Amino acid sequence: MVLGQAQPQSPEMLLLSLLLPILGEGFLNKGSSYSLQVQKLVTVQEGLCVFVPCNLSYPRVGWNESTATHGYWFKGMTSTYTRAPVATNNPNREVDVSTRDRFQLMGYPSKGSCSLVIRDAQMEDTGRYFFRVERGSYVRFNFLNRFHLTVTALTQKPDVYIPETLEPARPVTVICVFNWAFENCPLPSFSWTGAALSSRRTRPRSPHFSVLSFTPRPQDHDTNLTCHVDFSRTGVSAQRTIQLHVAYAPREVVISISRDNEPALKLQENLTHLEAQKGQFLRLLCAADSQPRATLSWVLQDRVLSWSHPWGPRTLGLELPQVKAGDSGCYTCRAENRLGSQQRALNLSVQYPPENLRVMVSQANRTVLENLGNGTSLPVLEGQSLRITCVTHSSPPARLSWTRGGQTLSPFPPSDPAVLELPRVQMEHEGELTCHAQHPLGSQHVSLSLSVHWNQEWRGGLGLGATLGAGITVLLSLCFCLIIFRVKTCRKEATQMAAAEQDAPSALGPISRGQQHKCPAGSSQDYPSPGATTPTPGEEQELHYASLSFQGLRPREPADQEAPSTTEYSEIKIHKGQPPRGPNSGLLLETKTSGMLPK
């Protein structure tokens, strides 16, 4: 608070009043009853309005309640008689043109108020201001405790309140608020612009805010909505622009891959398979485009490995510090919000060279498998069956093969190169067998020594079989001799009978059936007819061979029963030409159904 002194009527005092604004404070007499309260520094943004509260007091000398009171605000160190005030309540005093209708003395000096309102503040309004009061013949006083006004560039913007996420086809209310310091400041003009406002409607505005209602559409997502606040002076306005977020289900799930801490690379949309070498560092990153933010999760088969919250980072990472064979599988990134879900799968294949190469053996038809390591000796009895399987772990699968003495062996079955099967082990199978596992990342091999031992029981079985075979051969030879003898006999008898019939057909009469000797039916065509010419010397004789059909044995008839009227017979065919070649060349055995001849 700064005290003031009453204005004297003498010319000296009048001159002092003119000099006080120039000389400044410090020329007031002690004990003065003048006072004025106002803030020292006032700041306002260009185009805005500011209220400057002010209170004053002065002596009750030379005036009464009906005496008019005039107040004046002046700018700078100026004469109160020669310069126009920026604001006054004296209707007979002109005000400065630059502040007309913008600066207003709001208080009533008669009641001790000197408050000032500054509207549409401009840069040239910056400066110092003091107040002068006049009442009656005595009170004429300049208060030199001035305030300083600073006008800055307009930076204040309205605040827009809107839900974080808008639901498609559901009406929404938006509020734009601009704060003012004093209610007597003029109301700004609110307006809205945006692509989503094709069918907008606003509610009646208040002094400080504007309300907007509209219905968002899915295509309004990521479009702008702007609230404009315009003031009285053209070109001075404030605005706030927001981006609309219209809810939608996850649209796209993006997977990125980082190897050995290198920058992550986005996985192509059509790529669903990833190969990694054992021991590598692998980081899988997943992101999704959705509104509101989706909950992300990494799932291996049916097991959830990690997940994120909607308010967390937009990307969910999954680290595999040193990938191993067990990390292979189908990794799925899932993105889900209240409107739907989306996912993308990635099949991880961990590649590694052959590991734990070994041989599994099953011998003598046993189902029990024996695991053999490198350099193992495998004893096997002669004649036993042996199945050897080569086993290893690798990715992709290694190419397996068997060798013996540097020579590649054919596997059994042919489609499985890891299996080597010997149905009967023989002495010549003895030696070193090696399984090779070849792989792009490395190769291994494992060898075992096959030792074949003498098997007396198996060899005895072979001897018995050979003896039985020899006996069968002898028996067949005897049968062959008998057949040849029978053929020759039949031919001789047939020749004699033909000659006898030609010489004396009527004398001999019919041949007794009981004494009749017939060769098998159909064989007569092979015999030479009577009178046939004998082959000349040098003419090749025809070779003959026979086929024999052995009949089943019939049970012996009782002696007291009459013999059946038919007899069994066997058929022997004599064939011209060369006999069939082979192990039984010269003998053709044919089985025929037996017939019955009447006696």
Side-chain angles (χ1 to χ4, degrees), residues 10-72:
S10 61
E12 293 80 3
M13 297 303 296
L14 181 60
L15 177 61
L16 179 61
S17 66
L18 296 175
L19 295 177
L20 281 177
I22 301 175
L23 298 177
E25 301 178 10
F27 291 86
L28 300 178
N29 294 331
K30 186 176 182 180
S32 173
S33 59
Y34 291 89
S35 66
L36 185 141
Q37 296 177 342
V38 66
Q39 63 187 79
K40 297 299 181 181
L41 298 175
V42 177
T43 302
V44 62
Q45 294 185 21
E46 183 182 15
L48 301 187
C49 172
V50 63
F51 175 71
V52 184
C54 178
N55 295 312
L56 81 158
S57 63
Y58 44 85
R60 297 181 62 87
V61 178
W63 56 270
N64 55 34
E65 295 297 331
S66 61
T67 304
T69 304
H70 298 128
Y72 310 86

Side-chain angles (χ1 to χ4, degrees), residues 537-577:
E539 183 180 353
E540 183 179 357
Q541 302 258 343
E542 288 185 335
L543 297 180
H544 298 81
Y545 61 95
S547 64
L548 175 65
S549 297
F550 296 94
Q551 310 302 325
L553 296 178
R554 290 179 58 85
R556 182 184 299 272
E557 296 293 343
D560 56 349
Q561 292 184 2
E562 182 180 358
S565 60
T566 60
T567 58
E568 298 178 358
Y569 69 95
S570 296
E571 177 181 308
I572 299 177
K573 286 185 179 180
I574 304 300
H575 300 275
K576 296 181 181 180

Side-chain angles (χ1 to χ4, degrees), residues 256-272:
S256 301
I257 308 297
S258 175
R259 300 174 187 263
D260 297 330
N261 292 321
E262 294 180 354
L265 298 177
K266 181 180 176 181
L267 203 63
Q268 298 179 1
E269 294 182 1
N270 58 350
L271 186 60
T272 59

Side-chain angles (χ1 to χ4, degrees), residues 220-500:
D220 295 330
H221 179 71
D222 281 346
T223 61
N224 292 333
L225 178 65
T226 303
C227 173
H228 302 268
V229 181
D230 298 316
F231 303 99
S232 57
R233 190 158 63 95
T234 305
V236 179
S237 64
Q239 64 185 29
R240 173 81 67 178
T241 299
I242 61 172
Q243 196 172 53
L244 301 181
H245 300 290
V246 183
Y248 57 90
R251 295 176 178 173
E252 181 184 9
V253 176
V254 178
I255 295 179
S256 301
I257 308 297
S258 175
R259 300 174 187 263
D260 297 330
N261 292 321
E262 294 180 354
L265 298 177
K266 181 180 176 181
L267 203 63
Q268 298 179 1
E269 294 182 1
N270 58 350
L271 186 60
T272 59
H273 185 79
L274 175 66
E275 294 180 351
Q277 292 188 10
K278 183 178 180 180
Q280 270 190 330
F281 174 87
L282 195 63
R283 180 178 175 86
L284 307 179
L285 301 174
C286 177
D289 177 21
S290 65
Q291 186 62 37
R293 289 187 183 183
T295 299
L296 302 175
S297 60
W298 276 109
V299 179
L300 176 59
Q301 312 303 351
D302 294 329
R303 181 165 54 97
V304 178
L305 303 179
S306 63
W307 65 91
S308 69
H309 297 287
W311 55 86
R314 290 184 177 270
T315 302
L316 176 61
L318 177 64
E319 290 188 358
L320 303 175
Q322 290 184 336
V323 294
K324 53 187 179 297
D327 294 329
S328 297
C330 183
Y331 290 79
T332 302
C333 177
R334 295 177 181 170
E336 183 177 4
N337 65 8
R338 65 176 181 270
L339 298 178
S341 64
Q342 187 68 269
Q343 67 182 31
R344 184 176 180 185
L346 177 65
N347 192 6
L348 174 63
S349 175
V350 180
Q351 297 184 342
Y352 56 95
E355 296 179 350
N356 192 24
L357 181 62
R358 63 193 186 280
V359 173
M360 304 179 70
V361 177
S362 173
Q363 54 181 321
N365 296 324
R366 290 183 299 175
T367 58
V368 179
L369 299 180
E370 302 176 7
N371 289 333
L372 303 180
N374 194 22
T376 304
S377 177
L378 176 62
V380 183
L381 288 177
E382 185 182 17
Q384 283 187 340
S385 64
L386 182 63
R387 182 184 178 92
I388 310 175
T389 305
C390 192
V391 180
T392 187
H393 297 284
S394 63
S395 179
R399 186 165 60 91
L400 302 174
S401 61
W402 283 96
T403 61
R404 183 179 63 188
Q407 181 181 3
T408 302
L409 303 177
S410 299
F412 181 84
S415 60
D416 192 350
V419 177
L420 184 62
E421 188 163 347
L422 302 176
R424 290 179 180 271
V425 178
Q426 301 180 14
M427 298 300 295
E428 57 266 24
H429 292 155
E430 192 172 58
E432 185 178 71
L433 298 176
T434 303
C435 175
H436 301 269
Q438 296 180 339
H439 194 275
L441 299 179
S443 300
Q444 284 190 358
H445 70 275
V446 59
S447 299
L448 57 89
S449 179
L450 181 62
S451 176
V452 182
H453 296 269
W454 180 275
N455 190 344
Q456 182 64 36
E457 180 180 351
W458 179 69
R459 287 186 172 270
L462 288 179
L464 179 60
T467 303
L468 181 59
I472 294 174
T473 302
V474 172
L475 180 59
L476 291 176
S477 299
L478 293 176
C479 291
F480 178 71
C481 294
L482 292 176
I483 292 171
I484 295 300
F485 174 79
R486 176 61 173 165
V487 168
K488 290 182 178 180
T489 304
C490 289
R491 293 186 64 179
K492 183 177 180 181
E493 292 181 354
T495 303
Q496 294 175 355
M497 291 175 60

